[in-house]
Amino acid sequence: MSNKYVEMGMTAPVNLTWEVSLACNLRCTHCLSASGTPAKDEMTTAEALDLVEQLDEARVFQINFGGGEPFMRPDFEQILDACHEKGIMTCISTNGTLLTPELVKRLSRTRLVAIQVSMDGARRETCDSIRGNGVFDAAVEAVRLLAETRIPTSVNTVLIAQNANEIPAMHSMAESLGASLRVSRFRPSGRGADNWDSMHPSPAQLLEFSDWLAASGDVRTGDSFFSLTSQERQGLGLNLCGAAKLTCCVGPTGNMYPCAFLQIENFKAGSLRESSFQDIWDNSEIYKSFRSLRIYSCEGCSRFEQCHGGCPAVAYYLKNDLNGGDPECLERCVTSIADLHLAEAAA
C-alpha cells in the first residue's frame, strides 16, 4: 500500500486498538494508560457487542485488544467470540499472569487470535522492577503455555533505559520459548509521562537499538520505531504515522481517539454513545486534521522519506506541538550525541 494512498485516508481502519478496560492487576511504571482500576462507566456488554457489529459492517480486518489487562474484564471472552464469529482477526496484549491452561485451550480453538505477552527484560530483576515481583516467571510460563498451541505468540517489550542492553538477550529468549519478539516504543503517556525522565532511552541507546534492529529482520516493531527506521528495514512496515488513516483507538468508555497514545480530551474524536463508529471515522474533525497533518519542519531532512517526521504523539507530549517533528528521530539522536561531544570537548 503506497504512502500516498494512506495519507488520503480509508473508508475504515485496517485495524484498531480497543482498550476494553483500565482494570489491571499490575501497576507497571511505564503504563501508557496508567491502568489499575476500571474507568468510570466503561462500556457495557451490550455496547461492546454492538461495536463489534459496527466494526464488521465497516469491514475492519483486525482488532488489537489492550487495556489495562483485557482478561480482567468478565465478558472479554464473549467479546472475542463475537469478533471471531464475524471473521475479525484479534490480537490480545496481555501481561500473561491470568492465562491458565484451560483459558489457553479455549483461545486456541480459533485461528483468528494472536497473543502478545508483555515482558520488560531478559533478566527477572529487570522485568520485575518495572512490572512487579513474580511477573517475569508468570509471563515466561504464559509464553510456554501459548507456544504449545497454534496461537501465534510474541513477547512484547517496551524499550526503556533500564532494559536497552537486554534487547538482544530478549530476542534469544523469545526464540527459545517458541515465540517471536516485538519491541514497542516508550512514549510519555499515562505513568510513562510521570516516569519519562528516569526511563526514556538515551540517544546513544536509541542509535544502538537502530543498528541492532537493522540486522534483525525477524523482530517486529509495528509502527513504533519508524522514526528510527534504517535503510535495511525499508519495506518491512509503515514508515509514517497511521493514526486516523490506517488505525484508530477506542477507549474503555466508548470514546474514539487517533491512537492509543493520545487518549486525552484534546484528541477525542467522538463518542460511540453519541455517534456511530462510521460517522466518527468519516466526519471527525480530529481525524481530518490528522489526515492532513504535515511535518513541514522535517521536509528538508535527508531522512524524511523514511520517517515523515516520526510520531506526532511524542512531539505533542515533549514539545506541545503535533507538527514539531519527533524529538527522538534518528537524525536528532545523531545531532544530540554530536552536541554532547562538542560540549564535553569545550568543557
Side-chain angles (χ1 to χ4, degrees):
M1 185 179 297
S2 71
N3 289 343
K4 181 179 180 181
Y5 183 67
V6 171
E7 289 169 347
M8 292 169 58
M10 304 181 71
T11 56
V14 174
N15 64 62
L16 62 84
T17 297
W18 183 354
E19 310 281 23
V20 288
S21 177
L22 287 185
C24 190
N25 56 331
L26 303 183
R27 301 293 185 274
C28 301
T29 54
H30 56 21
C31 180
L32 72 92
S33 56
S35 297
T37 57
K40 184 179 179 181
D41 199 22
E42 292 189 347
M43 294 174 73
T44 65
T45 301
E47 288 174 323
L49 296 179
D50 180 66
L51 176 55
V52 173
E53 292 285 344
Q54 293 188 57
L55 297 179
D56 177 52
E57 290 174 8
R59 302 185 71 179
V60 171
F61 176 73
Q62 178 173 306
I63 300 172
N64 301 319
F65 284 104
E69 168 53 51
F71 290 106
M72 289 284 286
R73 183 168 169 134
D75 61 357
F76 182 51
E77 286 189 71
Q78 186 177 353
I79 297 170
L80 284 177
D81 288 343
C83 293
H84 299 155
E85 287 171 6
K86 299 293 185 182
I88 300 173
M89 281 292 303
T90 58
C91 180
I92 306 165
S93 182
T94 175
N95 60 44
T97 62
L98 302 181
L99 292 180
T100 64
E102 295 75 22
L103 174 55
V104 169
K105 184 178 180 180
R106 291 196 299 273
L107 294 170
S108 66
R109 289 172 182 162
T110 177
R111 291 190 178 274
L112 295 174
V113 64
I115 296 181
Q116 60 181 38
V117 178
S118 298
M119 299 173 67
D120 289 305
R123 297 168 59 247
R124 181 179 294 105
E125 295 79 7
T126 305
C127 185
D128 285 3
S129 69
I130 298 159
R131 307 186 69 81
N133 290 336
V135 175
F136 177 84
D137 290 337
V140 167
E141 180 57 29
V143 175
R144 285 197 176 112
L145 271 176
L146 291 164
E148 293 174 356
T149 73
R150 63 184 182 180
I151 297 173
T153 303
S154 58
V155 170
N156 184 69
T157 187
V158 177
L159 177 69
I160 53 176
Q162 289 78 0
N163 69 11
N165 66 342
E166 298 181 28
I167 299 299
M170 290 203 69
H171 185 209
S172 298
M173 180 182 67
E175 190 175 56
S176 71
L177 293 171
S180 60
L181 177 67
R182 184 181 192 275
V183 185
S184 294
R185 187 173 176 188
F186 179 45
R187 289 178 171 96
S189 172
R191 279 194 292 272
D194 298 336
N195 297 304
W196 176 258
D197 290 341
S198 63
M199 297 186 75
H200 75 90
S202 68
Q205 287 175 320
L206 289 170
L207 281 178
E208 184 177 355
F209 173 72
S210 179
D211 288 342
W212 177 81
L213 193 61
S216 306
D218 62 330
V219 175
R220 295 180 297 115
T221 62
D223 68 352
S224 298
F225 284 106
F226 57 90
S227 59
L228 292 175
T229 299
S230 63
Q231 190 66 42
E232 290 85 352
R233 287 181 66 90
Q234 288 298 296
L236 291 181
L238 191 66
N239 64 341
L240 79 165
C241 174
K245 306 178 186 90
L246 283 177
T247 188
C248 66
C249 176
V250 176
T253 61
N255 292 333
M256 289 177 59
Y257 304 93
C259 77
F261 298 97
L262 289 173
Q263 294 182 73
I264 56 177
E265 189 64 27
N266 287 359
F267 296 101
K268 178 181 171 182
S271 169
L272 290 165
R273 288 171 169 159
E274 299 170 3
S275 304
S276 70
F277 175 85
Q278 194 68 60
D279 181 51
I280 296 170
W281 177 260
D282 289 340
N283 301 310
S284 163
E285 292 302 319
I286 292 289
Y287 285 172
K288 289 178 181 178
S289 69
F290 269 76
R291 288 164 190 157
S292 61
L293 188 65
R294 292 282 298 274
I295 314 299
Y296 292 106
S297 61
C298 294
E299 290 187 353
C301 176
S302 61
R303 296 193 73 255
F304 182 72
E305 290 304 317
Q306 290 175 269
C307 82
H308 291 82
C311 176
V314 176
Y316 175 78
Y317 284 119
L318 296 185
K319 302 169 72 173
N320 196 32
D321 183 7
L322 281 176
N323 299 280
D326 194 325
E328 291 189 326
C329 74
L330 198 60
E331 190 69 24
R332 286 185 171 90
C333 286
V334 172
T335 302
S336 295
I337 292 174
D339 290 345
L340 178 62
H341 288 167
L342 285 174
E344 290 174 345

PDB file of all heavy atoms in Angstrom, residues 294-317:
ATOM      1  N   ARG A 294       0.976  17.693   8.334  1.00  0.00           N
ATOM      2  CA  ARG A 294       2.247  17.780   7.607  1.00  0.00           C
ATOM      3  C   ARG A 294       3.314  18.271   8.578  1.00  0.00           C
ATOM      4  O   ARG A 294       3.122  19.271   9.269  1.00  0.00           O
ATOM      5  CB  ARG A 294       2.139  18.763   6.438  1.00  0.00           C
ATOM      6  CG  ARG A 294       1.220  18.308   5.315  1.00  0.00           C
ATOM      7  CD  ARG A 294       1.878  17.288   4.421  1.00  0.00           C
ATOM      8  NE  ARG A 294       3.059  17.796   3.753  1.00  0.00           N
ATOM      9  CZ  ARG A 294       3.034  18.475   2.594  1.00  0.00           C
ATOM     10  NH1 ARG A 294       1.885  18.751   1.996  1.00  0.00           N
ATOM     11  NH2 ARG A 294       4.170  18.867   2.036  1.00  0.00           N
ATOM     12  N   ILE A 295       4.441  17.589   8.607  1.00  0.00           N
ATOM     13  CA  ILE A 295       5.541  17.990   9.484  1.00  0.00           C
ATOM     14  C   ILE A 295       6.511  18.799   8.628  1.00  0.00           C
ATOM     15  O   ILE A 295       7.565  18.318   8.187  1.00  0.00           O
ATOM     16  CB  ILE A 295       6.238  16.763  10.112  1.00  0.00           C
ATOM     17  CG1 ILE A 295       5.206  15.766  10.644  1.00  0.00           C
ATOM     18  CG2 ILE A 295       7.184  17.205  11.224  1.00  0.00           C
ATOM     19  CD1 ILE A 295       4.305  16.314  11.736  1.00  0.00           C
ATOM     20  N   TYR A 296       6.147  20.073   8.380  1.00  0.00           N
ATOM     21  CA  TYR A 296       6.931  20.900   7.458  1.00  0.00           C
ATOM     22  C   TYR A 296       8.366  21.073   7.922  1.00  0.00           C
ATOM     23  O   TYR A 296       9.284  21.154   7.103  1.00  0.00           O
ATOM     24  CB  TYR A 296       6.270  22.272   7.300  1.00  0.00           C
ATOM     25  CG  TYR A 296       4.945  22.231   6.575  1.00  0.00           C
ATOM     26  CD1 TYR A 296       3.747  22.383   7.275  1.00  0.00           C
ATOM     27  CD2 TYR A 296       4.894  22.045   5.192  1.00  0.00           C
ATOM     28  CE1 TYR A 296       2.529  22.342   6.615  1.00  0.00           C
ATOM     29  CE2 TYR A 296       3.676  22.006   4.518  1.00  0.00           C
ATOM     30  CZ  TYR A 296       2.491  22.158   5.242  1.00  0.00           C
ATOM     31  OH  TYR A 296       1.283  22.109   4.589  1.00  0.00           O
ATOM     32  N   SER A 297       8.569  21.118   9.251  1.00  0.00           N
ATOM     33  CA  SER A 297       9.916  21.358   9.771  1.00  0.00           C
ATOM     34  C   SER A 297      10.878  20.229   9.429  1.00  0.00           C
ATOM     35  O   SER A 297      12.096  20.402   9.509  1.00  0.00           O
ATOM     36  CB  SER A 297       9.864  21.536  11.293  1.00  0.00           C
ATOM     37  OG  SER A 297       9.358  20.363  11.920  1.00  0.00           O
ATOM     38  N   CYS A 298      10.335  19.064   9.050  1.00  0.00           N
ATOM     39  CA  CYS A 298      11.189  17.905   8.747  1.00  0.00           C
ATOM     40  C   CYS A 298      11.342  17.645   7.249  1.00  0.00           C
ATOM     41  O   CYS A 298      12.125  16.766   6.860  1.00  0.00           O
ATOM     42  CB  CYS A 298      10.606  16.645   9.400  1.00  0.00           C
ATOM     43  SG  CYS A 298      10.632  16.660  11.207  1.00  0.00           S
ATOM     44  N   GLU A 299      10.617  18.359   6.423  1.00  0.00           N
ATOM     45  CA  GLU A 299      10.580  18.011   5.000  1.00  0.00           C
ATOM     46  C   GLU A 299      11.907  18.210   4.284  1.00  0.00           C
ATOM     47  O   GLU A 299      12.154  17.617   3.243  1.00  0.00           O
ATOM     48  CB  GLU A 299       9.454  18.776   4.301  1.00  0.00           C
ATOM     49  CG  GLU A 299       8.082  18.278   4.709  1.00  0.00           C
ATOM     50  CD  GLU A 299       6.958  18.897   3.911  1.00  0.00           C
ATOM     51  OE1 GLU A 299       7.218  19.824   3.106  1.00  0.00           O
ATOM     52  OE2 GLU A 299       5.797  18.468   4.076  1.00  0.00           O
ATOM     53  N   GLY A 300      12.786  19.038   4.870  1.00  0.00           N
ATOM     54  CA  GLY A 300      14.087  19.239   4.261  1.00  0.00           C
ATOM     55  C   GLY A 300      15.126  18.233   4.705  1.00  0.00           C
ATOM     56  O   GLY A 300      16.256  18.235   4.195  1.00  0.00           O
ATOM     57  N   CYS A 301      14.750  17.341   5.607  1.00  0.00           N
ATOM     58  CA  CYS A 301      15.684  16.355   6.151  1.00  0.00           C
ATOM     59  C   CYS A 301      15.936  15.241   5.131  1.00  0.00           C
ATOM     60  O   CYS A 301      15.021  14.811   4.424  1.00  0.00           O
ATOM     61  CB  CYS A 301      15.120  15.762   7.442  1.00  0.00           C
ATOM     62  SG  CYS A 301      16.126  14.450   8.165  1.00  0.00           S
ATOM     63  N   SER A 302      17.174  14.747   5.104  1.00  0.00           N
ATOM     64  CA  SER A 302      17.520  13.689   4.156  1.00  0.00           C
ATOM     65  C   SER A 302      16.793  12.378   4.453  1.00  0.00           C
ATOM     66  O   SER A 302      16.675  11.516   3.583  1.00  0.00           O
ATOM     67  CB  SER A 302      19.034  13.437   4.188  1.00  0.00           C
ATOM     68  OG  SER A 302      19.444  13.017   5.489  1.00  0.00           O
ATOM     69  N   ARG A 303      16.277  12.237   5.687  1.00  0.00           N
ATOM     70  CA  ARG A 303      15.579  11.002   6.062  1.00  0.00           C
ATOM     71  C   ARG A 303      14.062  11.158   6.014  1.00  0.00           C
ATOM     72  O   ARG A 303      13.339  10.275   6.473  1.00  0.00           O
ATOM     73  CB  ARG A 303      15.975  10.570   7.483  1.00  0.00           C
ATOM     74  CG  ARG A 303      17.438  10.198   7.640  1.00  0.00           C
ATOM     75  CD  ARG A 303      17.689   9.493   8.965  1.00  0.00           C
ATOM     76  NE  ARG A 303      17.162   8.136   8.946  1.00  0.00           N
ATOM     77  CZ  ARG A 303      16.057   7.741   9.565  1.00  0.00           C
ATOM     78  NH1 ARG A 303      15.329   8.607  10.248  1.00  0.00           N
ATOM     79  NH2 ARG A 303      15.653   6.485   9.493  1.00  0.00           N
ATOM     80  N   PHE A 304      13.572  12.249   5.470  1.00  0.00           N
ATOM     81  CA  PHE A 304      12.130  12.497   5.530  1.00  0.00           C
ATOM     82  C   PHE A 304      11.314  11.385   4.884  1.00  0.00           C
ATOM     83  O   PHE A 304      10.270  10.978   5.405  1.00  0.00           O
ATOM     84  CB  PHE A 304      11.781  13.829   4.870  1.00  0.00           C
ATOM     85  CG  PHE A 304      10.318  14.159   4.957  1.00  0.00           C
ATOM     86  CD1 PHE A 304       9.749  14.541   6.163  1.00  0.00           C
ATOM     87  CD2 PHE A 304       9.493  14.059   3.842  1.00  0.00           C
ATOM     88  CE1 PHE A 304       8.391  14.829   6.254  1.00  0.00           C
ATOM     89  CE2 PHE A 304       8.137  14.350   3.927  1.00  0.00           C
ATOM     90  CZ  PHE A 304       7.584  14.733   5.140  1.00  0.00           C
ATOM     91  N   GLU A 305      11.776  10.851   3.777  1.00  0.00           N
ATOM     92  CA  GLU A 305      11.029   9.794   3.095  1.00  0.00           C
ATOM     93  C   GLU A 305      11.029   8.484   3.888  1.00  0.00           C
ATOM     94  O   GLU A 305      10.238   7.586   3.608  1.00  0.00           O
ATOM     95  CB  GLU A 305      11.595   9.559   1.693  1.00  0.00           C
ATOM     96  CG  GLU A 305      11.329  10.701   0.723  1.00  0.00           C
ATOM     97  CD  GLU A 305       9.835  11.017   0.606  1.00  0.00           C
ATOM     98  OE1 GLU A 305       9.029  10.065   0.519  1.00  0.00           O
ATOM     99  OE2 GLU A 305       9.484  12.208   0.613  1.00  0.00           O
ATOM    100  N   GLN A 306      11.902   8.373   4.889  1.00  0.00           N
ATOM    101  CA  GLN A 306      11.945   7.171   5.705  1.00  0.00           C
ATOM    102  C   GLN A 306      11.079   7.275   6.954  1.00  0.00           C
ATOM    103  O   GLN A 306      10.609   6.265   7.460  1.00  0.00           O
ATOM    104  CB  GLN A 306      13.393   6.858   6.112  1.00  0.00           C
ATOM    105  CG  GLN A 306      14.253   6.386   4.946  1.00  0.00           C
ATOM    106  CD  GLN A 306      15.701   6.194   5.360  1.00  0.00           C
ATOM    107  OE1 GLN A 306      16.507   7.106   5.266  1.00  0.00           O
ATOM    108  NE2 GLN A 306      16.020   5.011   5.823  1.00  0.00           N
ATOM    109  N   CYS A 307      10.864   8.487   7.480  1.00  0.00           N
ATOM    110  CA  CYS A 307      10.078   8.562   8.718  1.00  0.00           C
ATOM    111  C   CYS A 307       8.980   9.623   8.711  1.00  0.00           C
ATOM    112  O   CYS A 307       8.140   9.637   9.604  1.00  0.00           O
ATOM    113  CB  CYS A 307      11.000   8.776   9.920  1.00  0.00           C
ATOM    114  SG  CYS A 307      11.513  10.481  10.201  1.00  0.00           S
ATOM    115  N   HIS A 308       8.979  10.532   7.722  1.00  0.00           N
ATOM    116  CA  HIS A 308       7.914  11.536   7.581  1.00  0.00           C
ATOM    117  C   HIS A 308       7.648  12.327   8.865  1.00  0.00           C
ATOM    118  O   HIS A 308       6.509  12.661   9.182  1.00  0.00           O
ATOM    119  CB  HIS A 308       6.618  10.877   7.094  1.00  0.00           C
ATOM    120  CG  HIS A 308       6.700  10.393   5.694  1.00  0.00           C
ATOM    121  ND1 HIS A 308       7.273   9.188   5.353  1.00  0.00           N
ATOM    122  CD2 HIS A 308       6.313  10.963   4.527  1.00  0.00           C
ATOM    123  CE1 HIS A 308       7.227   9.029   4.049  1.00  0.00           C
ATOM    124  NE2 HIS A 308       6.663  10.085   3.518  1.00  0.00           N
ATOM    125  N   GLY A 309       8.702  12.574   9.622  1.00  0.00           N
ATOM    126  CA  GLY A 309       8.550  13.408  10.816  1.00  0.00           C
ATOM    127  C   GLY A 309       8.342  12.629  12.093  1.00  0.00           C
ATOM    128  O   GLY A 309       8.255  13.223  13.171  1.00  0.00           O
ATOM    129  N   GLY A 310       8.242  11.301  11.998  1.00  0.00           N
ATOM    130  CA  GLY A 310       8.135  10.480  13.212  1.00  0.00           C
ATOM    131  C   GLY A 310       6.771  10.499  13.858  1.00  0.00           C
ATOM    132  O   GLY A 310       5.743  10.682  13.197  1.00  0.00           O
ATOM    133  N   CYS A 311       6.739  10.325  15.172  1.00  0.00           N
ATOM    134  CA  CYS A 311       5.495  10.146  15.925  1.00  0.00           C
ATOM    135  C   CYS A 311       4.940  11.478  16.412  1.00  0.00           C
ATOM    136  O   CYS A 311       5.552  12.133  17.263  1.00  0.00           O
ATOM    137  CB  CYS A 311       5.752   9.215  17.109  1.00  0.00           C
ATOM    138  SG  CYS A 311       4.311   8.985  18.194  1.00  0.00           S
ATOM    139  N   PRO A 312       3.767  11.889  15.940  1.00  0.00           N
ATOM    140  CA  PRO A 312       3.170  13.149  16.412  1.00  0.00           C
ATOM    141  C   PRO A 312       2.846  13.139  17.896  1.00  0.00           C
ATOM    142  O   PRO A 312       2.885  14.192  18.550  1.00  0.00           O
ATOM    143  CB  PRO A 312       1.888  13.261  15.574  1.00  0.00           C
ATOM    144  CG  PRO A 312       2.140  12.436  14.364  1.00  0.00           C
ATOM    145  CD  PRO A 312       2.986  11.290  14.839  1.00  0.00           C
ATOM    146  N   ALA A 313       2.513  11.955  18.464  1.00  0.00           N
ATOM    147  CA  ALA A 313       2.186  11.892  19.888  1.00  0.00           C
ATOM    148  C   ALA A 313       3.384  12.277  20.740  1.00  0.00           C
ATOM    149  O   ALA A 313       3.255  13.033  21.719  1.00  0.00           O
ATOM    150  CB  ALA A 313       1.704  10.488  20.255  1.00  0.00           C
ATOM    151  N   VAL A 314       4.563  11.772  20.391  1.00  0.00           N
ATOM    152  CA  VAL A 314       5.767  12.134  21.142  1.00  0.00           C
ATOM    153  C   VAL A 314       6.053  13.625  20.985  1.00  0.00           C
ATOM    154  O   VAL A 314       6.395  14.316  21.950  1.00  0.00           O
ATOM    155  CB  VAL A 314       6.972  11.288  20.686  1.00  0.00           C
ATOM    156  CG1 VAL A 314       8.242  11.741  21.402  1.00  0.00           C
ATOM    157  CG2 VAL A 314       6.725   9.809  20.977  1.00  0.00           C
ATOM    158  N   ALA A 315       5.899  14.146  19.768  1.00  0.00           N
ATOM    159  CA  ALA A 315       6.107  15.572  19.540  1.00  0.00           C
ATOM    160  C   ALA A 315       5.151  16.409  20.387  1.00  0.00           C
ATOM    161  O   ALA A 315       5.538  17.444  20.943  1.00  0.00           O
ATOM    162  CB  ALA A 315       5.932  15.896  18.058  1.00  0.00           C
ATOM    163  N   TYR A 316       3.906  15.940  20.505  1.00  0.00           N
ATOM    164  CA  TYR A 316       2.926  16.684  21.291  1.00  0.00           C
ATOM    165  C   TYR A 316       3.298  16.684  22.775  1.00  0.00           C
ATOM    166  O   TYR A 316       3.299  17.740  23.421  1.00  0.00           O
ATOM    167  CB  TYR A 316       1.532  16.079  21.101  1.00  0.00           C
ATOM    168  CG  TYR A 316       0.489  16.729  21.989  1.00  0.00           C
ATOM    169  CD1 TYR A 316      -0.052  17.970  21.650  1.00  0.00           C
ATOM    170  CD2 TYR A 316       0.083  16.123  23.173  1.00  0.00           C
ATOM    171  CE1 TYR A 316      -0.986  18.585  22.473  1.00  0.00           C
ATOM    172  CE2 TYR A 316      -0.853  16.739  23.997  1.00  0.00           C
ATOM    173  CZ  TYR A 316      -1.376  17.966  23.649  1.00  0.00           C
ATOM    174  OH  TYR A 316      -2.285  18.569  24.469  1.00  0.00           O
ATOM    175  N   TYR A 317       3.612  15.514  23.305  1.00  0.00           N
ATOM    176  CA  TYR A 317       3.894  15.435  24.736  1.00  0.00           C
ATOM    177  C   TYR A 317       5.194  16.123  25.130  1.00  0.00           C
ATOM    178  O   TYR A 317       5.290  16.716  26.204  1.00  0.00           O
ATOM    179  CB  TYR A 317       3.937  13.974  25.183  1.00  0.00           C
ATOM    180  CG  TYR A 317       2.570  13.335  25.314  1.00  0.00           C
ATOM    181  CD1 TYR A 317       2.221  12.232  24.531  1.00  0.00           C
ATOM    182  CD2 TYR A 317       1.627  13.821  26.208  1.00  0.00           C
ATOM    183  CE1 TYR A 317       0.971  11.643  24.640  1.00  0.00           C
ATOM    184  CE2 TYR A 317       0.373  13.246  26.317  1.00  0.00           C
ATOM    185  CZ  TYR A 317       0.043  12.152  25.538  1.00  0.00           C
ATOM    186  OH  TYR A 317      -1.192  11.571  25.643  1.00  0.00           O
TER     187      TYR A 317
END
